[in-house]
Amino acid sequence: MKKPIYKKWWFWLVVVIVVGGIFGSQNGKTGETTAPATKTATQKETEVKASIETKPTETETDSQNVSSEDYTADNAYTWLKDSGLISSEAKDVTEKFKGSEGLVKALRSDEADIIEFEKDENAAKYHNPNLNSYAVKNIYILIKKGQDNADNFVKILESGKALTVETLYASDEQKKVAELIESDADFLPTVEAYFELQKDQKSSTWDTFMAKKIVTWSGTIADLDAIGDSLVVYGGENYNGEDWLTISTEKKDMMPYTFIVELKNKTVKDGLKKGNQVKLKASLDSRGDKELQFNWKLYEGEVVE
């Protein structure tokens, strides 16, 4: 009688070989399925990291949210004026720039020229920070007053809206002059502070914080007759009766402390005399200079005391 097949030795050898092959196959497949999962996880991690590293700044986000249609000369002027960087009225001077490639509109204020172009690349041609010229998108701006605040001008244009910005000063001395003008301080402390400025800061301080400002200055009337519609006033110390001719020829060291005020109404002279103390309100037009011995000049003057 033959033995059952399961009692033969070679039967169990075949079983072991087959079972071993099955487990080996399963292990291979497991390796193949886990690899892509690891790859996917790594890819997602990389994508998250990239999104964090390229997250736009607040200004970039603001700029991206502003429609290109908002970038007009009129809007740029409004943003800068509402932010306090421009205070004067703007004039349309488009005709003066006629022929500029891609020109749309040009505005001029005391503080800056603002020019709108059709394309960003049209404005970019004029970008030159060394000349106080900046291009933001399709807007070109030439800063004439407030060059020390150029970063604020650019920041506002990039944001596409008015911002509350802190006025930047070139030095503590410049800040002092600006604050004296803002507070309507008298002649002598104002000009003494101006004369203490570094030489390379005087022009920008004058242009930004002093020119065309309404001031109320006092001093001694040195001459009523030398200049028909004006008063010559000495604002320094130790006045000894010098008239305009003496000051301008013999005692020129007095010139930087002298201011000439063209009056709105010259008939106010009728009640005044040489040597009188007087206080006048007027528009500051030209600056004095201690080294060059120049006097100050004011217009639209009114006697207030």
Side-chain angles (χ1 to χ4, degrees), residues 172-182 190 192-195 197 205-206 209-210:
D172 290 340
E173 290 78 13
Q174 186 183 73
K175 181 179 180 181
K176 182 179 180 179
V177 173
E179 290 176 344
L180 286 167
I181 290 292
E182 186 67 25
T190 301
E192 289 286 30
Y194 173 78
F195 290 147
L197 287 168
T205 302
W206 167 260
F209 303 107
M210 302 180 75

Side-chain angles (χ1 to χ4, degrees), residues 46-234:
T46 304
E47 288 173 354
V48 170
K49 184 178 180 181
S51 67
I52 293 173
E53 291 177 343
T54 60
K55 183 178 180 180
T57 63
E58 183 178 348
T59 301
E60 289 172 339
T61 303
D62 289 340
S63 180
Q64 290 167 3
N65 290 336
V66 180
S67 168
S68 59
E69 295 178 357
D70 291 331
Y71 275 85
T72 66
D74 291 310
N75 283 346
Y77 168 75
T78 300
W79 300 333
L80 293 168
K81 189 172 185 182
D82 289 348
S83 301
L85 293 181
I86 288 180
S87 59
S88 60
E89 295 302 313
K91 297 179 181 178
D92 189 328
V93 291
T94 307
E95 281 297 315
K96 293 183 179 293
F97 295 90
K98 192 174 181 180
S100 299
E101 184 179 0
L103 175 69
V104 176
K105 187 173 185 178
L107 296 177
R108 172 164 291 167
S109 68
D110 292 340
E111 295 82 5
D113 288 346
I114 302 170
I115 304 177
E116 174 190 348
F117 288 96
E118 292 176 357
K119 300 177 181 178
D120 295 4
E121 51 264 37
N122 297 142
K125 294 178 181 179
Y126 303 99
H127 183 77
N128 189 341
N130 292 329
L131 298 177
N132 300 310
S133 302
Y134 300 87
V136 177
K137 290 186 177 292
N138 63 312
I139 299 295
Y140 160 73
I141 183 169
L142 171 65
I143 303 173
K144 299 182 290 185
K145 289 185 180 181
Q147 292 93 337
D148 295 320
N149 278 275
D151 288 347
N152 283 336
F153 276 88
V154 173
K155 182 178 179 181
I156 289 164
L157 291 178
E158 287 179 340
S159 70
K161 63 182 179 181
L163 299 173
T164 300
V165 292
E166 182 180 355
T167 301
L168 304 177
Y169 300 96
S171 64
D172 290 340
E173 290 78 13
Q174 186 183 73
K175 181 179 180 181
K176 182 179 180 179
V177 173
E179 290 176 344
L180 286 167
I181 290 292
E182 186 67 25
S183 64
D184 200 17
D186 207 351
F187 172 79
L188 194 56
T190 301
V191 302
E192 289 286 30
Y194 173 78
F195 290 147
E196 289 175 4
L197 287 168
Q198 297 177 30
K199 190 172 183 179
D200 61 355
Q201 292 179 13
K202 288 183 177 178
S203 290
S204 63
T205 302
W206 167 260
D207 291 340
T208 304
F209 303 107
M210 302 180 75
K212 309 298 182 184
K213 298 295 185 182
I214 303 299
V215 296
T216 306
W217 284 354
S218 63
T220 304
I221 297 176
D223 210 312
L224 289 153
D225 305 317
I227 305 172
D229 57 357
S230 303
L231 289 177
V232 178
V233 182
Y234 181 68

Side-chain angles (χ1 to χ4, degrees), residues 284-303:
L284 190 51
D285 189 77
S286 61
R287 52 180 163 150
D289 191 292
K290 203 166 186 178
E291 293 181 7
L292 299 176
Q293 297 182 321
F294 288 165
N295 63 278
W296 302 75
K297 184 68 185 285
L298 295 82
Y299 287 94
E300 297 292 305
E302 297 178 285
V303 176

